[in-house]
Amino acid sequence: MYFVGNSNPPVNTSVKQTFGNIAIGLLIDIRTSTILDASITLVSPLSMEFIRAQLVGRNLDSEIEEIIKNVERYQGPALKSIIVALRAVHNRYRSFIYSNEKVKI
C-alpha cells in the first residue's frame, strides 16, 4: 500500500518555492511493515536519493526512531520538515493498521 505524509518547509527554501510543501510517499508491504520504495519532494536529485536510501528496506513500524536518526544525517534547511512529514506518514500508517486490525489484510 502507498502512504503519504506532508509538512510545510521553511519559507526561504527551494522546496517551498518549487513545491509548496514536502511530501514523503512510502510503498509499504503491510504484512511486514517493510518500506519497499520511497519518494520525497525535494529539489535536488541527490537529496531525494539520500533520503530514499535511509528509508527503503526499513521497517516503518518498529524502526521509526532509527530511521529518523539516519535521516538526521541530512543537513539541509528542510530537515525538520522532512522529519515532520516522516512522522505524519508513520502516523497515517499506524492509524490504518490499527483501524484494520480485525480485517485480514
Side-chain angles (χ1 to χ4, degrees), residues 8 11 13 18 20 24 29 33 35 43-44 54 58 61 66 83-84 93:
N8 195 16
V11 175
T13 60
T18 304
I24 294 179
D29 180 337
S33 299
I35 301 170
V43 176
S44 164
Q54 308 314 308
R58 305 308 295 264
D61 192 35
E66 188 175 336
I83 293 170
V84 168
Y93 173 75

Side-chain angles (χ1 to χ4, degrees), residues 9 13-23 40-44 48:
T13 60
S14 56
V15 70
K16 178 70 171 180
Q17 295 170 358
T18 304
F19 299 112
N21 70 1
I22 289 179
I40 184 168
T41 52
L42 292 173
V43 176
S44 164
M48 290 186 291

